[in-house]
Amino acid sequence: MLKLYDDPDSGNGYKVQLLLHLLGTLYELVEVNAIQGATRKKSFLAKNPNGKIPLLELEDGSLLPESNAILFYLAEGTPWLQDDRLGRAQALQWMFFEQYSHEPYIAVLRYWVRHTSKTPENEPQWAAKEKGGYAALSVMERTLRASDWLLGEKPSIADISLYAYTHVADQGGFDLTRYAGVCAWIGRFPELPGYVPFPGRLKESDDRKV
Ligand SMILES: N[C@@H](CCC(=O)N[C@@H](CS)C(=O)NCC(=O)O)C(=O)O
């Protein structure tokens, strides 16, 4: 059985858990408390030298870190990944966008708001994080005004990848009401068979979100 090392409060981990549930794939969840430093323990570093969850362990013992690589692996041969060359590249295009132009702004600001508030270290970067996050939302909005899902009529791993931190962007202080297309897209997810909500959305008062 697949084994997923994850902190259920991580949006990057939620991407993987959401896809596993949408696929109806059984897996064993190994909880790793990232905030308490469990990702930096020797035993975990032996599995992922980069010290981060999520991490997927395959039946043969192979180890696969990086949320979007895991999505790509799990979606192979399923309706969640395009089967044409360009479509697959476009799924990757959105997932690279997520890691470079979206997550470093929206997820990081959400983390600061929930964990640290403003500090002398992060305050100088605060406005740039907001600007970057809104720029990413605007890029998504242009596509989602024109189609239901990022790659057209059907949802794919590109949507799952971007949904994880977009639907909780308000927790980082982002005003999502400016983005009608993004809001309508967010509203489509709970209708998907097998959908599971993000624990980081549910436990508003818990202060150990990742
Ligand atoms: N690019 C990675 C980022 C993973 C990541 O940042 N994981 C965080 C939790 S969201 C983590 O494990 N942090 C603990 C640490 O760095 O020790 C991915 O997409 O999987």
Side-chain angles (χ1 to χ4, degrees):
M1 188 186 282
L2 294 173
K3 204 185 265 189
L4 179 66
Y5 298 83
D6 188 18
D7 183 324
D9 289 326
S10 157
N12 285 312
Y14 171 61
K15 295 172 195 171
V16 178
Q17 296 216 42
L18 177 55
L19 179 60
L20 285 164
H21 282 269
L22 292 168
L23 289 171
T25 303
L26 289 179
Y27 63 101
E28 180 187 343
L29 177 64
V30 182
E31 289 201 20
V32 180
N33 193 317
I35 285 233
Q36 284 177 8
T39 41
R40 301 289 151 171
K41 288 197 173 145
K42 251 185 158 179
S43 56
F44 187 80
L45 289 171
K47 290 184 181 293
N48 181 10
N50 198 28
K52 292 190 190 302
I53 53 86
L55 172 69
L56 186 69
E57 187 169 335
L58 308 184
E59 287 89 347
D60 68 357
S62 302
L63 293 160
L64 186 61
E66 291 296 330
S67 58
N68 290 339
I70 300 171
L71 292 183
F72 195 79
Y73 173 82
L74 291 172
E76 178 78 29
T78 81
W80 291 94
L81 179 60
Q82 280 59 26
D83 50 19
D84 64 296
R85 187 176 179 182
L86 180 60
R88 293 159 74 81
Q90 287 169 330
L92 288 175
Q93 169 216 317
W94 278 112
M95 293 195 291
F96 287 123
F97 165 83
E98 190 267 343
Q99 286 285 290
Y100 192 79
S101 301
H102 182 288
E103 197 253 22
Y105 301 99
I106 294 179
V108 169
L109 204 47
R110 172 177 176 266
Y111 181 88
W112 287 348
V113 167
R114 291 157 75 77
H115 288 284
T116 67
S117 299
K118 283 194 177 155
T119 65
E121 289 75 36
N122 69 29
E123 190 161 5
Q125 302 170 55
W126 206 276
K129 292 288 179 197
E130 280 175 347
K131 193 174 166 204
Y134 279 122
L137 292 168
S138 299
V139 169
M140 293 172 67
E141 178 70 10
R142 281 185 63 167
T143 295
L144 293 169
R145 284 249 171 179
S147 65
D148 279 1
W149 303 99
L150 290 168
L151 294 182
E153 289 172 8
K154 285 192 325 183
S156 71
I157 51 173
D159 298 285
I160 294 175
S161 175
L162 277 148
Y163 174 71
Y165 284 112
T166 303
H167 85 296
V168 291
D170 57 309
Q171 293 177 327
F174 290 95
D175 177 11
L176 285 172
T177 62
R178 301 182 196 175
Y179 303 96
V182 170
C183 287
W185 169 79
I186 287 172
R188 284 179 201 115
F189 279 84
E191 307 301 321
L192 296 170
Y195 175 86
V196 284
F198 178 28
R201 169 91 271 173
L202 298 175
K203 294 186 275 167
E204 295 287 335
S205 60
D206 183 345
D207 67 354
R208 56 162 303 278
K209 308 300 176 311
V210 185

